[in-house]
Amino acid sequence: MAVKKLNFFSNTRLYLFTIIMFLIVLGVIFKLFYIQFVVGDEFRSIARERTIKTESVPANRGNVYSADGSLLATSIPKYTIRFDAIVPSEENFEKNIYALSDSLSGILGGHESDWQKKLRNARASKLRYLLIARNLSFTQQSRIKKFPLFELGSNKGGIIIENKVVREHPIGRIAERTIGDYRSNPEGKINPIGIEGAFNNELKGVDGKQMMQKFAKGNWKPIESMSYEDPQDGYDIVSTIDVYIQDIAHHALLKQLEKYDADHGCVVVMETKTGEVKAIANLGKGAEGNYYERMNYAVGEIQDPGSTFKLFSMMALLDDKKVDTSKVYDSKNGVVTYYGRSVRDSNRKGYGKISLGKGFEKSSNTVIVQAVEESYKSNPYQFVKRLNDMGLNKPIGIPIVGEGKPIIPQPKDKTWSAISLPWMAYGYGINITPLQTLTYYNAIANNGGIKRLKRLKKRLFILKFVRMKL
């Protein structure tokens, strides 16, 4: 009786165990079915997102050339070579490791045995992202791609090639601010500078796309068998800069700044007939006492033009028919006083009694100021309007970012006072950039006046034409 009872309980436990296992199997089958056909697409999508991504492939940025075809800025590719040590088959690895180590030793240095040890250790440790070399030139990476084992490609040889583009200026730091840059600062803010910044859309091209796969230690490598969208190269820019003239302007400016221990200065050379800028040098003293292009003073710095502004005072006087160049003024021993403020000539003895034309020739402050004050003191707005009509109160409108905004005092301004008019006459209380001053002078040198100036401003500065990179 006891044996039958024991058999009954044993059989019952067996049946129960069988039923439980059957239910577990059914649950597993149901789960597999559910994952495969119900939520499978969702999980596969999540897996792809975590292990496969689309990465942007930067387009080749266009070059910037001088007027004579010299390179001012170009993109140089720099390559990094890595090795996926588990990709090659055992046969391929053993067959090529000695020749590969010898080749790597020859181009990168180090002993052949050290390279063998490094590669074998990587394979033993199943490393998939072993660094071989950084900052290689195109020629170097092309040679390494043809080395034994690596010549089999990424899928059989395990070679991983990454590249980045470095912007270089072949002529060095000359015209550095004018050639410019376009990249983000450490805070992520884009600061477009010079030609590079002004014509970034033309230079940058259109980036391509590359599928990347994630593997050990969070590293990624390209998937050659999956979709790849080729980048479109950017346009080349041909500027009006003449490298020979630029070099002369740069070193002439540097010599004078060092001679007088000046804080900063600029030089702009403009072709009179066309208005094209042939050279633009900007040098400022750094904390260590050396001079370098820290700011584009010619384009961005507004300041009192001083005696150079007398030309525009003369133009206003003559265009408004206020005086004749033969009218005589007394320079009064080189000093005239208005409202308790003195205007002095550089010649401390003055020029005696001279004509307006002679006073302009001598750059006499006292003569020009007297002519403007006497002619416009009852209606200063007429003088200022003449300056405004010349366009002196507006920027030129060049494409380079950061052009200074001129300041021409207006009679309606709260800061206008009795001395504003005489001080403006010889270039004080006014702020314009060096490039703006040169542009206005160039318009006059072209026998132009106001209409010529307006036409010139539309075509001024750095671009001559754009062409597609071949």
Side-chain angles (χ1 to χ4, degrees):
M1 186 70 180
V3 174
K4 289 183 178 181
K5 189 175 182 179
L6 181 61
N7 289 337
F8 172 78
F9 283 113
S10 297
N11 291 336
T12 300
R13 285 197 297 271
L14 179 62
Y15 295 146
L16 182 61
F17 176 76
T18 303
I19 291 171
I20 292 172
M21 290 301 296
F22 179 72
L23 291 175
I24 291 174
V25 171
L26 284 179
V28 170
I29 293 173
F30 174 78
K31 194 67 175 179
L32 289 173
F33 177 85
Y34 180 78
I35 292 174
Q36 180 69 23
F37 299 102
V38 179
V39 297
D41 290 341
E42 179 182 350
F43 283 127
R44 279 189 288 272
S45 176
I46 293 173
R48 281 195 296 270
E49 289 177 2
R50 293 179 178 177
T51 60
I52 296 177
K53 67 178 181 179
T54 301
E55 190 169 275
S56 177
V57 179
N60 289 324
R61 191 172 179 84
N63 296 327
V64 179
Y65 291 94
S66 67
D68 64 353
S70 299
L71 265 177
L72 300 180
T74 189
S75 296
I76 304 296
K78 296 293 183 181
Y79 296 86
T80 296
I81 303 289
R82 296 182 185 274
F83 178 52
D84 186 341
I86 70 171
V87 164
S89 66
E90 186 68 23
E91 179 184 355
N92 285 334
F93 183 80
E94 291 299 333
K95 179 181 176 181
N96 292 288
I97 186 172
Y98 297 104
L100 174 60
S101 299
D102 181 62
S103 298
L104 291 173
S105 173
I107 192 172
L108 300 176
H111 198 273
E112 175 188 348
S113 60
D114 293 332
W115 278 107
Q116 287 186 37
K117 183 178 179 181
K118 185 175 184 178
L119 296 172
R120 288 191 182 280
N121 287 342
R123 188 167 177 85
S125 303
K126 297 183 177 181
L127 294 181
R128 307 203 64 178
Y129 208 56
L130 175 69
L131 176 65
I132 300 298
R134 282 195 180 98
N135 294 321
L136 298 174
S137 67
F138 176 78
T139 302
Q140 289 173 318
Q141 71 89 25
S142 295
R143 287 181 60 190
I144 292 176
K145 278 173 60 177
K146 297 178 182 178
F147 283 176
L149 188 63
F150 287 171
E151 64 182 352
L152 300 177
S154 61
N155 292 330
K156 292 184 178 180
I159 185 173
I160 300 172
I161 301 176
E162 302 167 348
N163 75 294
K164 64 178 180 179
V165 176
V166 178
R167 201 67 171 168
E168 292 190 356
H169 295 170
I171 65 171
R173 305 194 70 174
I174 295 177
E176 185 176 24
R177 295 292 297 192
T178 301
I179 297 169
D181 197 359
Y182 188 88
R183 59 186 173 187
S184 58
N185 59 22
E187 290 74 36
K189 183 180 179 181
I190 297 294
N191 184 27
I193 299 172
I195 300 172
E196 293 266 20
F199 301 100
N200 178 62
N201 289 336
E202 290 81 4
L203 286 163
K204 70 179 181 180
V206 180
D207 290 346
K209 295 179 181 178
Q210 171 69 63
M211 300 298 291
M212 306 288 289
Q213 183 176 23
K214 186 177 183 180
F215 57 97
K217 296 183 180 180
N219 296 311
W220 297 81
K221 70 174 183 178
I223 306 174
E224 293 186 354
S225 59
M226 298 188 72
S227 61
Y228 177 84
E229 186 175 317
D230 289 328
Q232 298 178 28
D233 291 352
Y235 287 89
D236 288 342
I237 301 293
V238 180
S239 77
T240 60
I241 295 293
D242 184 299
V243 173
Y244 177 71
I245 299 175
Q246 179 69 45
D247 185 67
I248 294 174
H250 176 91
H251 288 95
L253 175 61
L254 178 61
K255 181 178 180 180
Q256 294 303 310
L257 291 174
E258 290 177 338
K259 179 179 179 179
Y260 295 102
D261 193 28
D263 179 71
H264 67 274
C266 67
V267 171
V268 185
V269 180
M270 181 180 288
E271 189 175 72
T272 305
K273 184 177 180 180
T274 63
E276 293 176 355
V277 174
K278 293 301 180 182
I280 179 167
N282 299 276
L283 294 174
K285 183 188 288 186
E288 69 286 355
N290 296 325
Y291 290 95
Y292 62 97
E293 293 225 355
R294 64 184 187 184
M295 176 181 172
N296 199 329
Y297 301 106
V299 171
E301 185 180 53
I302 57 173
Q303 56 187 331
D304 294 323
S307 290
T308 60
F309 200 77
K310 291 172 186 171
L311 174 63
F312 307 113
S313 295
M314 283 289 289
M315 288 176 63
L317 289 166
L318 298 176
D319 286 346
D320 285 337
K321 297 180 172 55
K322 293 291 185 179
V323 293
D324 187 86
T325 55
S326 62
K327 184 174 179 178
V328 175
Y329 291 88
D330 186 354
S331 63
K332 300 179 180 179
N333 296 319
V335 181
V336 292
T337 302
Y338 293 97
Y339 312 103
R341 302 284 296 274
S342 297
V343 177
R344 299 179 182 274
D345 282 325
S346 58
N347 183 344
R348 294 307 180 184
K349 295 181 179 180
Y351 301 98
K353 293 182 179 181
I354 57 174
S355 67
L356 177 61
K358 197 68 174 178
F360 179 72
E361 179 186 332
K362 296 289 187 181
S363 189
S364 170
N365 296 334
T366 59
V367 169
I368 296 297
V369 168
Q370 287 182 76
V372 170
E373 175 67 12
E374 291 177 9
S375 299
Y376 293 102
K377 63 181 177 182
S378 60
N379 186 13
Y381 177 76
Q382 186 181 11
F383 177 73
V384 175
K385 183 178 183 301
R386 180 61 66 179
L387 302 181
N388 293 343
D389 289 344
M390 294 179 195
L392 294 170
N393 62 328
K394 297 177 181 178
I396 298 169
I398 59 176
I400 288 181
V401 175
E403 182 186 1
K405 185 177 180 180
I407 298 175
I408 302 295
Q410 306 291 313
K412 63 181 180 180
D413 294 343
K414 292 181 179 179
T415 55
W416 184 271
S417 69
I419 65 169
S420 294
L421 181 62
W423 255 243
M424 288 176 68
Y426 73 119
Y428 291 91
I430 291 170
N431 289 141
I432 58 177
T433 70
L435 182 60
Q436 288 160 358
T437 300
L438 178 60
T439 303
Y440 304 133
Y441 265 76
N442 193 65
I444 297 165
N446 269 287
N447 300 316
I450 295 174
K451 290 184 179 180
R452 171 63 185 171
L453 173 60
K454 289 180 178 178
R455 289 197 300 270
L456 182 61
K457 285 171 68 174
K458 290 180 180 179
R459 60 178 296 199
L460 176 70
F461 208 45
I462 214 74
L463 251 202
K464 194 169 184 180
F465 58 87
V466 181
R467 61 180 171 82
M468 189 65 181
K469 187 173 181 180
L470 300 178

